[in-house]
Amino acid sequence: MLDARLRTDMYAWMSLTRAFDDQMVAMWKSGRGLGGTFSQRGHEAISVGVGMAMGPDDVATPMHRDLGTYLVRGMTPERIFGNLLGRATGPSQGRDANLHGLGDLSLGIIGFISHIPQALPTALGVAMTFRHRLEPRVAVTFIGDGGTTAGAFHEVLNMAAVWAAPLVVVVENNQYAYSTPLNQQMASADIVAKAEAHGVLGTRVDGNDVEAVYLAARDSIERARAGGGPVLIQADTMRMLGHAIHDGAEYVPEGLLADWEQRDPLRLTRNRLVEQRTATPEALDSLDRAAASRIQQAVAAAEAAPFPDGDSLTDGVYA
Amino acid sequence: MLDARLRTDMYAWMSLTRAFDDQMVAMWKSGRGLGGTFSQRGHEAISVGVGMAMGPDDVATPMHRDLGTYLVRGMTPERIFGNLLGRATGPSQGRDANLHGLGDLSLGIIGFISHIPQALPTALGVAMTFRHRLEPRVAVTFIGDGGTTAGAFHEVLNMAAVWAAPLVVVVENNQYAYSTPLNQQMASADIVAKAEAHGVLGTRVDGNDVEAVYLAARDSIERARAGGGPVLIQADTMRMLGHAIHDGAEYVPEGLLADWEQRDPLRLTRNRLVEQRTATPEALDSLDRAAASRIQQAVAAAEAAPFPDGDSLTDGVYA
Amino acid sequence: MTGNNFGFTDAPASSGREITYLEAIAESIAHEMERDPNVLVLGEDVGGDFGGAFKVTKGLAARFGDDRVLNTPIAELSFTGMATGMALMGLRPIVEMQFADFISTAFDSIVQFAASTHYRWGGRVPWVVRAPSDGGIRSGPYHSQNPEAWFVHTPGLKVVAPATPADAKGLLAAAVRDDNPVIYFEAKPLYRSIRGHVPDGEHVVPLGEASIRRTGADLTIITYGSMVHESMAAAGALESDGIGATVVDLRTLKPLDTDTILDAAAATGKVIVVHAANRLAGVGAEVAALIAEHAFESLDGPVVRLGGADTPVPFSPPLEDAYRPNAARIESAARRLAEW
Amino acid sequence: MTGNNFGFTDAPASSGREITYLEAIAESIAHEMERDPNVLVLGEDVGGDFGGAFKVTKGLAARFGDDRVLNTPIAELSFTGMATGMALMGLRPIVEMQFADFISTAFDSIVQFAASTHYRWGGRVPWVVRAPSDGGIRSGPYHSQNPEAWFVHTPGLKVVAPATPADAKGLLAAAVRDDNPVIYFEAKPLYRSIRGHVPDGEHVVPLGEASIRRTGADLTIITYGSMVHESMAAAGALESDGIGATVVDLRTLKPLDTDTILDAAAATGKVIVVHAANRLAGVGAEVAALIAEHAFESLDGPVVRLGGADTPVPFSPPLEDAYRPNAARIESAARRLAEW
Ligand SMILES: Cc1ncc(C[n+]2csc(CCOP(=O)(O)OP(=O)(O)O)c2C)c(N)n1
Ligand SMILES: Cc1ncc(C[n+]2csc(CCOP(=O)(O)OP(=O)(O)O)c2C)c(N)n1
Ligand SMILES: [Mg+2]
Ligand SMILES: [Mg+2]
């Protein structure tokens, strides 16, 4: 069994991710936001589990539901809220929107690009750089079920296999791409088989079980690090709120949500930690409270932060 | 066993294809050509076998090594040489080059587009039109081994599977994409497995055996026609000359070519027809002579045909 | 026209109802689907009860069947190519890009294949790609783009960009009926902010004809899309100071209505070209260059261009506001030019 | 300079050897790889003994190892995106498009990601995409394109188009060393037809600086790439009739050297802009529009543009010859303008 401290940490990061999301959703619903944003609910175990399995020198290209990965890798909630609110203090300095453009190479994070799935080729390039330099580092990239129907997903798996690139691809299968259910996206939801057809090792994991995700990610990353070539992890979960903040997701059957709600990643982890006496409910409650207050503090700081100056419009187009 | 007449016809079309190719290669090597062109040697069994398996109302999107398909579907050698030589009498009227732009919808042929593998989405659209109109017709598309590493190959297989489109995809695996051997293109050359991972039925066939190709194509087309959904046929062969006319293909090991030469599609068919007493060597020789003179006649006509007028430059940009 | 209304109408008030720009698009699609069984709609999330990211296609699946309102996977390159195959077979697909920004994903299939097919061998490609474009609504670099210049430069395409509900309806009808690939740029900021009189039933605005939205003797503002409204506002403000401005709404960007452009330029001798897209090598450069070559003798001042900055479209309000032309900037450029 | 030689040199004859345009590119790549271990080459068929469709990279794999000369599968979108990932990590990839025509396949990865990354969050993308472009050699619509305008319009990119061997070497060196994504358009028709003096060893031509190839008092021809040579030939012919022409070779198309453009326009008051790419909404439109706005007062005649027709590049000789500007057409346009 994994170290107790590590397991409690996983809960703590998930709690912070959830607290961020709850706060963000509430703010945006009440008009305190700017533009749109994407709820993270349902993806906490994946983004935190993978984020924690990565080494400090590994590099991630997270997607729009990987808030946990940003947080685990050290991007502060202040900065992320700063980005969401268009402030000069966000990693994009107000230039990019919501969870896009949260790049910070000093944290090993490449900012998200909207065009699906452009993050994958980028991650392959990162991995190939490590291979080229003989550095024991791994690139970890994230993609939705919807992203796997875009051609670049296959182009990248194929090239990664040819070159045995140290690349781990995490597929966050949350049953929907916007309003489109899995069965309208693909005839076969066995994405592991698609990876294997390219010669990429594939493994499937319960995306709501943070420990399972962590273990799958850790093993995959270590394999890639050791020169074993690329791995794809299919992590199944459910997108619990709409596609984006404006989306009521009326197209999702209520029963489906109710079923998945039973398997909420935070609840699952909490129950397990308590059952296995790794943590008391009180200790976990106190983590939740700490997370909530951390987020309050971040929002306050972000809301107090300045907007960028219009005069800076053309700065930074070129390096 | 297939009808004797049909089997002899296959030889005849392959012989015509070979005669065309020999003539074309000789002309271009001696400076009697215009621009570049692509040798067909090694692909005769595939292009002819598939072409003959198609029904009159089916539609093909051939690639640059499918001369046999054009011929079988009724595009005259005069017109094709006209295209190659930039004459007003080619299907593109001198606008498109070599084997590009040989489109004629009255023959069920969509002109080739260079950008790999753009023919596939087009063929999917053709297939979806047939499905939409409940017409018992099939779209047949062709792609090289190299084309399978481009993302659209997968996008199309995936969508074709979702919609059970009446689409047959013929993969002409000739071991090379230009100078790049198969093992530098992909870690797994089992393209059937890639199709199956998308939920597309796949089958593999000896691409130098015209009867085997014909049977695989016939069965696949009938299955698709009957509403059984898309099928991929992997036909293995060898590109016997260079990638294009200017390419000496020094990068291909000589032994490899010598091995495949033993399995030359025309020789294979001739030997079989003679062994099985379906045709005499003399009868086949006379087919070869007829093919050669047919091609001579076509070249003469094409060389006598006019170039387009420069004043027509901007005609036909819009329908 | 009410709402963000600058006092101009497309259609006599008697001939239709006041509806939004978005409603006009939706109505036109439905009308074309009703009229011609070959017309169908495809794209991400367009089907079912959902009806697309902006709900433009809402209700169509129930009305015309799932077979004519096809939800696609995320694969712009291939589903646009699929539309080309359908069009070659005689269907008339209307393809929705979820945002115009994603049209670059389908680029090959548009600029290389659809655009060139008729020239290369005579195949007709009667499709329409609908591209919800433009910014000003805090959507950031990936949901605010105006990429029309890429397509105007590409031989074989047609490009339209309606500014009013009536044109939105009429240009879409013309685009669907045209036998060539047409890219139809919708201005997202106008979707619900603009209402206008739109004729009931059949309404077709021919491709290739600009519209003169108002006339004035002192200078000409040539524009399209959302900037038509900013230009009209600017023209109104100028008028109160005695500066008369003609406003030309290009409506079709390819083929350009060069006659109207050159006549309007010659009539006033002073021209401002405005669009929301990046000014640098934008469509306005072509318009300005046309004038500089073919109306040179009539020019009484420099041909001024206003457009987006040469940056990605930024998200934060102070940046996006600095990025984008608006009525005030058009007005001040016009005052400077008028004094020339 | 010999071969297709119009009597101008880049470098003093003493300072180098005469080599072809293609050799100059190859030499520059090797020089940069020698100088900086972060420079590597990737693309279809670039590796091994083969060395690419045009043999530009021939010999590099043997010299620098397969690890620095990477053969890719046919997947422009993703291998260009891969280059962006590499560049973000500090490598300096040089990506070869087999033909410039296929750059549209990589479009998303260039215009959406590589181009915007620095602006969006500060990541540096120091790559070069080499794009063998241009026609006139009977290669048809898919192997003759000049797609530079798409990229000049896109914020965040740099675009260069050398016309001479010395510039081919020097601009490639500058492009590799630049911290931004640079698209380097090679003119295929110049590969082996043009020879010129090229400095040995280190030779860098700064990005953003046009070159005045000759001066004359009567008119200015602004051009780039293969059309520099046609323009020089035209200028030579004009001179024998007493018409003096300045020829400006832009060299860098983004960022444009506006000072040189405007100064040259102002000096002669008459300007012709020429390129092989489709004239409509091409780079020449931007140049003409710049002049019409910022050099208006100096103009003594219309700003004339010559460029490709608004058609795909046709294959057959009579059509391609009608499509393409050449020295004779430049000369006759210049005569008309001179008489204005
Ligand atoms: C190329 C492209 N097309 C369309 C979109 C618009 N879009 C944004 S997210 C999304 C759905 C993505 O689904 P999935 O990959 O399953 O991720 P999820 O949102 O479910 O986490 C779409 C269609 C896009 N970002 N990129
Ligand atoms: C998108 C794209 N990139 C590059 C090319 C240039 N090209 C033409 S054919 C070819 C090799 C194709 O290999 P394959 O698909 O195996 O077909 P083959 O020529 O072997 O029959 C290449 C790289 C192209 N046509 N399209
Ligand atoms: Mg999803
Ligand atoms: Mg091949």
Side-chain angles (χ1 to χ4, degrees):
Chain A
M1 198 188 282
L2 290 167
D3 177 66
R5 172 64 191 274
L6 180 68
R7 296 167 67 227
T8 319
D9 272 1
M10 287 182 193
Y11 181 84
W13 285 114
M14 287 168 67
S15 176
L16 186 67
T17 306
R18 177 65 59 87
F20 189 116
D21 195 58
D22 286 345
Q23 173 69 22
M24 174 178 75
V25 169
M27 281 171 67
W28 261 251
K29 292 240 147 137
S30 69
R32 235 172 105 197
L34 181 68
T37 192
F38 298 95
S39 166
Q40 308 291 316
R41 188 175 279 255
H43 285 256
E44 296 88 347
I46 301 173
S47 63
V48 167
V50 175
M52 292 186 70
M54 290 177 67
D57 293 333
D58 296 336
V59 170
T61 70
M63 61 166 234
H64 53 293
R65 299 198 203 277
D66 293 316
L67 178 63
T69 307
Y70 292 100
L71 295 171
V72 168
R73 289 198 72 80
M75 190 171 285
T76 63
E78 282 78 0
R79 294 179 74 198
I80 304 174
F81 267 113
N83 214 68
L84 285 159
L85 293 169
R87 308 301 161 126
T89 51
S92 84
Q93 301 176 263
R95 293 171 184 158
D96 210 345
N98 55 65
L99 293 152
H100 296 82
L102 294 174
D104 186 338
L105 289 177
S106 75
L107 303 175
I109 299 173
I110 287 182
F112 183 56
I113 171 173
S114 187
H115 287 64
I116 291 171
Q118 280 298 306
L120 262 69
T122 314
L124 176 63
V126 172
M128 289 297 285
T129 305
F130 298 155
R131 201 196 79 145
H132 184 74
R133 293 184 169 157
L134 306 175
E135 293 174 350
R137 300 166 68 186
V138 177
V140 179
T141 187
F142 300 77
I143 185 170
D145 46 297
T148 70
T149 64
F153 172 69
H154 292 279
E155 293 184 348
V156 167
L157 289 182
N158 179 59
M159 288 193 279
V162 170
W163 297 320
L167 176 70
V168 173
V169 178
V170 180
V171 178
E172 307 190 44
N173 170 19
N174 65 5
Q175 318 302 324
Y176 281 84
Y178 209 152
S179 76
T180 305
L182 217 45
N183 68 342
Q184 288 181 35
Q185 298 180 48
M186 57 191 85
S188 164
D190 182 355
I191 294 160
V192 165
K194 298 177 195 186
E196 285 171 346
H198 288 292
V200 171
L201 187 77
T203 178
R204 193 161 182 168
V205 71
D206 176 354
N208 283 18
D209 179 343
V210 69
E211 294 185 24
V213 170
Y214 173 84
L215 288 170
R218 190 193 62 183
D219 293 352
S220 302
I221 291 168
E222 288 322 314
R223 181 190 166 95
R225 197 187 306 288
V231 185
L232 176 143
I233 301 170
Q234 173 171 358
D236 300 296
T237 184
M238 178 71 199
R239 193 194 70 202
M240 297 303 291
L241 292 175
H243 170 66
I245 200 74
H246 63 275
D247 175 27
E250 295 78 8
Y251 48 81
V252 178
E254 281 188 16
L256 189 62
L257 287 171
D259 289 351
W260 280 95
E261 184 59 42
Q262 297 308 311
R263 307 201 58 260
D264 175 75
L266 274 98
R267 184 193 308 206
L268 218 70
T269 307
R270 170 181 277 266
N271 289 349
R272 185 188 286 154
L273 291 176
V274 172
E275 270 166 31
Q276 297 178 344
R277 299 184 187 277
T278 311
T280 62
E282 295 69 31
L284 298 177
D285 289 345
S286 116
L287 289 176
D288 289 346
R289 279 191 305 274
S293 81
R294 181 76 189 76
I295 295 303
Q296 288 307 329
Q297 172 194 332
V299 169
E303 288 190 324
F307 283 101
D309 192 325
D311 291 345
S312 71
L313 171 65
T314 57
D315 295 351
V317 173
Y318 292 113
Chain B
M1 200 190 282
L2 289 166
D3 177 65
R5 172 64 191 274
L6 179 69
R7 297 167 65 226
T8 319
D9 272 2
M10 288 182 193
Y11 181 85
W13 284 115
M14 287 168 67
S15 177
L16 187 67
T17 307
R18 176 65 58 88
F20 190 117
D21 195 58
D22 285 346
Q23 173 69 21
M24 174 178 76
V25 169
M27 280 170 68
W28 261 251
K29 293 239 147 134
S30 68
R32 236 171 104 198
L34 180 68
T37 192
F38 298 95
S39 167
Q40 309 289 316
R41 187 174 280 255
H43 285 255
E44 296 89 346
I46 301 172
S47 63
V48 166
V50 175
M52 291 186 71
M54 291 177 66
D57 294 332
D58 296 336
V59 169
T61 71
M63 61 166 232
H64 52 294
R65 298 197 205 277
D66 294 315
L67 177 63
T69 307
Y70 292 100
L71 294 171
V72 168
R73 288 198 74 78
M75 190 170 285
T76 62
E78 281 79 0
R79 294 179 74 199
I80 305 174
F81 266 113
N83 214 69
L84 286 159
L85 292 169
R87 307 300 160 125
T89 52
S92 84
Q93 301 177 262
R95 294 172 185 158
D96 210 345
N98 54 66
L99 293 152
H100 297 81
L102 294 174
D104 186 338
L105 290 177
S106 74
L107 303 175
I109 299 173
I110 287 181
F112 183 56
I113 171 172
S114 188
H115 287 64
I116 289 172
Q118 281 297 306
L120 263 68
T122 313
L124 176 64
V126 172
M128 290 295 286
T129 305
F130 298 155
R131 202 196 79 145
H132 184 73
R133 295 184 167 157
L134 306 175
E135 293 174 349
R137 300 165 68 187
V138 177
V140 179
T141 187
F142 300 76
I143 185 171
D145 45 296
T148 71
T149 63
F153 172 69
H154 292 278
E155 293 183 350
V156 167
L157 289 182
N158 179 58
M159 288 193 279
V162 170
W163 297 320
L167 176 71
V168 173
V169 178
V170 181
V171 178
E172 307 189 43
N173 170 18
N174 65 5
Q175 319 301 325
Y176 281 84
Y178 209 152
S179 78
T180 305
L182 217 46
N183 69 340
Q184 289 181 34
Q185 298 180 50
M186 56 191 86
S188 163
D190 182 356
I191 295 160
V192 165
K194 297 177 195 185
E196 285 171 348
H198 288 293
V200 171
L201 187 77
T203 178
R204 192 161 183 170
V205 70
D206 176 355
N208 283 18
D209 180 343
V210 70
E211 293 185 23
V213 170
Y214 173 85
L215 288 169
R218 191 192 64 184
D219 293 351
S220 303
I221 290 170
E222 290 322 313
R223 181 189 165 97
R225 196 188 306 290
V231 186
L232 176 142
I233 301 170
Q234 172 170 359
D236 300 297
T237 183
M238 178 72 200
R239 193 193 71 202
M240 296 303 291
L241 292 175
H243 169 68
I245 200 75
H246 63 276
D247 176 26
E250 295 78 8
Y251 47 81
V252 178
E254 281 187 17
L256 189 61
L257 287 171
D259 290 350
W260 281 94
E261 184 59 40
Q262 297 307 312
R263 307 200 58 262
D264 175 74
L266 274 98
R267 182 192 309 205
L268 218 68
T269 307
R270 170 181 278 265
N271 289 350
R272 186 188 286 153
L273 292 176
V274 172
E275 270 166 31
Q276 297 178 342
R277 299 184 189 276
T278 311
T280 62
E282 294 70 31
L284 298 177
D285 288 348
S286 120
L287 288 175
D288 289 346
R289 279 191 305 275
S293 81
R294 180 75 189 78
I295 295 301
Q296 288 307 327
Q297 174 193 330
V299 168
E303 289 190 325
F307 283 101
D309 192 327
D311 290 345
S312 71
L313 170 66
T314 57
D315 295 352
V317 173
Y318 293 112
Chain C
M1 186 172 285
T2 58
N4 191 349
N5 174 357
F6 303 107
F8 66 100
T9 56
D10 303 297
S14 61
S15 72
R17 311 115 301 140
E18 273 210 344
I19 57 176
T20 64
Y21 184 91
L22 188 146
E23 287 162 348
I25 298 169
E27 176 171 301
S28 192
I29 297 173
H31 188 260
E32 294 307 302
M33 290 181 79
E34 195 70 67
R35 202 184 52 83
D36 181 350
N38 289 311
V39 178
L40 50 78
V41 166
L42 60 94
E44 289 153 11
D45 304 296
V46 296
D49 288 340
F50 188 67
F54 296 100
K55 314 284 182 205
V56 172
T57 59
K58 196 164 171 66
L60 292 180
R63 187 158 160 204
F64 297 102
D66 288 338
D67 211 41
R68 290 180 69 191
V69 191
L70 200 63
N71 252 10
T72 62
I74 303 175
E76 282 84 357
L77 178 62
S78 295
F79 71 65
T80 307
M82 175 174 84
T84 302
M86 289 172 155
L88 284 168
M89 292 291 104
L91 296 180
R92 292 184 173 269
I94 302 174
V95 180
E96 176 173 305
M97 292 289 141
Q98 198 152 77
F99 286 80
D101 311 62
F102 302 124
I103 202 168
S104 51
T105 311
F107 204 63
D108 246 357
S109 120
I110 296 172
V111 302
Q112 300 293 1
F113 193 41
S116 71
T117 291
H118 191 266
Y119 190 70
R120 290 187 305 110
W121 55 271
R124 285 167 188 235
V125 184
W127 61 228
V128 178
V129 168
R130 290 181 39 239
S133 63
D134 206 8
I137 50 176
R138 319 315 184 199
S139 298
Y142 290 133
H143 295 74
S144 305
Q145 297 175 22
N146 287 293
E148 58 270 13
W150 294 334
F151 303 102
V152 172
H153 181 58
T154 301
L157 299 174
K158 296 190 177 181
V159 181
V160 298
T164 68
D167 280 355
K169 178 171 177 178
L171 286 171
L172 187 52
V176 169
R177 300 176 197 191
D178 197 274
D179 279 339
N180 300 285
V182 183
I183 306 185
Y184 177 92
F185 284 100
E186 303 171 4
K188 292 194 303 287
L190 304 183
Y191 269 160
R192 295 183 171 84
S193 70
I194 292 283
R195 302 179 72 84
H197 282 283
V198 175
D200 293 314
E202 183 79 3
H203 175 56
V204 182
V205 173
L207 304 187
E209 293 185 9
S211 166
I212 295 176
R213 294 293 177 189
R214 54 170 289 157
T215 48
D218 298 315
L219 54 88
T220 298
I221 306 174
I222 303 180
T223 184
Y224 57 90
S226 63
M227 288 298 139
V228 170
H229 303 278
E230 301 295 325
S231 299
M232 289 297 284
L238 291 164
E239 187 163 49
S240 55
D241 277 2
I243 302 174
T246 293
V247 175
V248 176
D249 174 359
L250 291 171
R251 306 202 290 193
T252 297
L253 307 182
K254 184 170 191 146
L256 276 171
D257 183 350
T258 44
D259 288 346
T260 301
I261 292 169
L262 296 176
D263 288 350
T268 60
K270 293 180 179 177
V271 182
I272 303 181
V273 187
V274 187
H275 51 57
N278 184 4
R279 185 183 57 192
L280 186 82
V283 175
E286 176 61 32
V287 173
L290 271 176
I291 293 168
E293 181 159 4
H294 298 293
F296 176 74
E297 288 192 279
S298 318
L299 284 179
D300 298 322
V303 184
V304 174
R305 281 183 299 154
L306 299 182
D310 193 30
T311 72
V313 186
F315 167 57
S316 189
L319 296 174
E320 192 177 25
D321 292 343
Y323 172 88
R324 215 176 146 74
N326 59 26
R329 290 195 187 112
I330 298 167
E331 189 190 327
S332 70
R335 285 187 198 283
R336 276 194 306 277
L337 185 59
E339 283 160 24
W340 187 271
Chain D
M1 188 172 283
T2 58
N4 192 351
N5 174 356
F6 302 108
F8 65 99
T9 55
D10 302 299
S14 61
S15 72
R17 310 114 305 137
E18 274 209 343
I19 58 176
T20 64
Y21 185 90
L22 189 146
E23 286 162 348
I25 298 169
E27 176 171 301
S28 192
I29 298 173
H31 188 260
E32 295 308 303
M33 291 181 78
E34 194 70 67
R35 203 185 51 82
D36 183 349
N38 289 312
V39 178
L40 50 78
V41 167
L42 61 94
E44 291 153 10
D45 305 296
V46 297
D49 288 341
F50 188 66
F54 296 100
K55 315 284 181 203
V56 172
T57 59
K58 195 165 172 65
L60 292 178
R63 186 159 159 202
F64 297 104
D66 289 338
D67 212 41
R68 289 180 69 191
V69 190
L70 200 61
N71 253 11
T72 61
I74 302 175
E76 282 85 355
L77 179 62
S78 295
F79 71 65
T80 307
M82 175 174 85
T84 301
M86 290 172 156
L88 284 168
M89 291 292 105
L91 296 180
R92 293 183 173 268
I94 302 175
V95 181
E96 177 173 304
M97 293 288 143
Q98 198 152 75
F99 285 81
D101 310 61
F102 303 124
I103 202 168
S104 51
T105 310
F107 204 62
D108 246 357
S109 117
I110 295 172
V111 303
Q112 299 293 1
F113 192 43
S116 71
T117 292
H118 192 265
Y119 190 69
R120 290 187 304 109
W121 56 270
R124 286 168 187 235
V125 184
W127 60 228
V128 178
V129 168
R130 290 182 39 239
S133 63
D134 207 10
I137 49 175
R138 317 316 182 200
S139 298
Y142 290 133
H143 295 74
S144 305
Q145 296 174 21
N146 287 294
E148 57 271 13
W150 295 334
F151 303 101
V152 172
H153 182 57
T154 301
L157 298 174
K158 296 191 178 182
V159 181
V160 297
T164 67
D167 280 355
K169 177 170 179 177
L171 287 170
L172 186 52
V176 169
R177 300 176 196 190
D178 197 274
D179 278 339
N180 300 285
V182 183
I183 307 186
Y184 177 93
F185 284 100
E186 303 171 4
K188 292 194 299 293
L190 304 184
Y191 270 161
R192 294 181 172 85
S193 69
I194 292 282
R195 303 179 72 84
H197 282 282
V198 175
D200 292 313
E202 184 81 1
H203 174 56
V204 182
V205 173
L207 304 187
E209 294 185 8
S211 166
I212 296 176
R213 294 294 178 189
R214 54 170 290 156
T215 50
D218 299 315
L219 55 88
T220 298
I221 306 173
I222 303 180
T223 185
Y224 58 91
S226 63
M227 288 298 139
V228 170
H229 302 279
E230 301 295 327
S231 300
M232 289 298 284
L238 291 164
E239 186 161 51
S240 53
D241 278 3
I243 301 174
T246 293
V247 175
V248 176
D249 174 358
L250 291 171
R251 305 202 291 193
T252 296
L253 306 182
K254 183 169 192 149
L256 276 171
D257 183 351
T258 45
D259 287 346
T260 301
I261 291 169
L262 296 175
D263 288 350
T268 60
K270 294 180 179 176
V271 181
I272 304 181
V273 188
V274 187
H275 51 56
N278 183 5
R279 184 184 57 193
L280 187 82
V283 175
E286 175 62 30
V287 173
L290 271 176
I291 292 168
E293 181 159 3
H294 299 292
F296 176 74
E297 289 194 280
S298 318
L299 284 179
D300 298 320
V303 184
V304 175
R305 281 182 299 152
L306 299 183
D310 193 30
T311 72
V313 186
F315 167 56
S316 190
L319 296 175
E320 190 176 26
D321 291 343
Y323 172 89
R324 217 175 144 75
N326 58 27
R329 292 197 184 111
I330 299 167
E331 189 189 328
S332 70
R335 284 186 199 283
R336 278 194 304 278
L337 184 60
E339 282 160 23
W340 186 273

